[in-house]
Amino acid sequence: MNGRLAVIGLGPGDPRYLTPDAEAALRDAQALYGYAPYLNRVPVCAGQSRHPSDNREEGARAAAALRHAAQGARVAVVSGGDPGVFAMAAALCAEIEAGPESWRALDVVFVPGITAMLAVAAKIGAPFGHDFCAISLSDNLKPWQLVERRLDAAASAGFVIALYNPVSRARPWQFGHAIERLRAHLPAATPVVFGRAVGRPDEHVRVTSLAEADATPADMATLVIVGTRETRVIARSGQTALVYTPRAAAEVSA
Ligand code: SAH
């Protein structure tokens, strides 16, 4: 029997952000694999086995799920947000590419989810109204010099930048360095949005500026959006501010 593997995005946290397609794929699975806190978000389904693992074990988790599917099972691997954004989908593709020929015969589906940058953006307006990019500040899988080069390139080219993985206990200084780096390209007043635990009970979204950004608390549950010279903040009485990047870019260079 041919096994099936579904790589499923759970969205940022709130079950309302789980797509009906993801819900159906979760129900259909006989075995669930994922980082333990993500698996804990999935309602228990009778007869379904659960295989939690640590966050740093992406390759091993992907290989275990593929071996299980190759035995003929319907296996699901879950990611927070979208599985293709700094998450399990690429880890699975890498294992399939390096693994036995039989893994290429598996029925593999990727089920998209709402990624953190879009969930945060929706809380605040339209920061990604014009050209944007996403950069992970984690230097676990790439050298810090490469992060710096990408920050320089993105800010100098006028992209709105979504920063994933801004801070962790093992990476305390990188965020401050990144903000300092961006200050070389962008005015101090450039709007910066911090979205923490969006879609969860402890959600918190705040708007600040590039001048204040490194003094603003951030952690592994935070996504940071750095605007461009054109990004605007609309203050509103009795309502949270709106942040948006106009659809039309006025300047040729940032
Ligand atoms: N696949 C995920 C991203 C994994 S990287 C996605 O598509 O969203 C993990 C990083 O995502 C975190 O460090 C944080 O920057 C961001 N993140 C994930 N969930 C979040 C949430 N609910 N609120 C804010 N940021 C979040």
Side-chain angles (χ1 to χ4, degrees):
M1 191 177 74
N2 222 356
R4 178 186 160 101
L5 192 106
V7 194
I8 302 171
L10 300 178
D14 191 319
R16 288 179 308 154
Y17 287 164
L18 189 71
T19 69
D21 197 25
E23 218 171 330
L26 288 169
R27 262 200 313 271
D28 180 60
Q30 296 167 313
L32 295 179
Y33 284 76
Y35 176 42
Y38 295 147
L39 271 191
N40 292 341
R41 281 198 217 156
V42 181
V44 173
C45 213
Q48 209 172 47
S49 66
R50 288 176 172 240
H51 309 264
S53 48
D54 191 76
N55 206 12
R56 290 183 173 246
E57 294 168 6
E58 284 191 349
R61 180 192 306 144
L66 283 158
R67 276 195 300 274
H68 200 155
Q71 291 163 9
R74 294 193 306 280
V75 176
V77 179
V78 299
S79 275
D82 183 89
V85 180
F86 306 125
M88 284 306 294
L92 273 151
C93 289
E95 292 298 322
I96 290 171
E97 188 174 22
E101 196 60 34
S102 58
W103 288 0
R104 299 189 183 208
L106 289 171
D107 179 13
V108 181
V109 294
F110 301 90
V111 183
I114 297 174
T115 189
M117 63 184 278
L118 299 185
V120 173
K123 296 286 169 189
I124 200 78
F128 301 117
H130 207 68
D131 300 342
F132 59 84
C133 67
I135 298 176
S136 169
L137 285 194
S138 170
D139 53 356
N140 291 336
L141 299 172
K142 63 188 169 192
W144 179 250
Q145 285 75 7
L146 186 58
V147 177
E148 289 188 335
R149 200 189 322 152
R150 289 182 179 166
L151 289 168
D152 288 342
S156 63
F159 288 104
V160 182
I161 306 171
L163 296 174
Y164 283 77
N165 298 307
V167 182
S168 76
R169 239 170 277 141
R171 295 180 295 100
W173 55 263
Q174 281 84 343
F175 181 61
H177 280 230
I179 293 299
E180 208 172 295
R181 196 94 193 169
L182 294 172
R183 285 196 191 118
H185 304 279
L186 294 164
T190 304
V192 177
V193 178
F194 284 70
R196 184 176 184 282
V198 165
R200 302 181 208 154
D202 50 342
E203 168 180 307
H204 185 72
V205 180
R206 69 165 83 178
V207 181
T208 175
S209 65
L210 198 54
E212 304 283 327
D214 46 355
T216 307
D219 62 10
M220 273 308 274
T222 306
L223 179 116
V224 180
I225 301 172
V226 180
T228 66
R229 287 166 188 275
E230 278 145 350
T231 304
R232 307 185 55 78
V233 180
I234 308 174
R236 301 189 300 163
S237 61
Q239 298 283 351
T240 51
L242 293 177
V243 176
Y244 81 108
T245 306
R247 303 284 322 281
E251 298 179 55
V252 172
S253 73

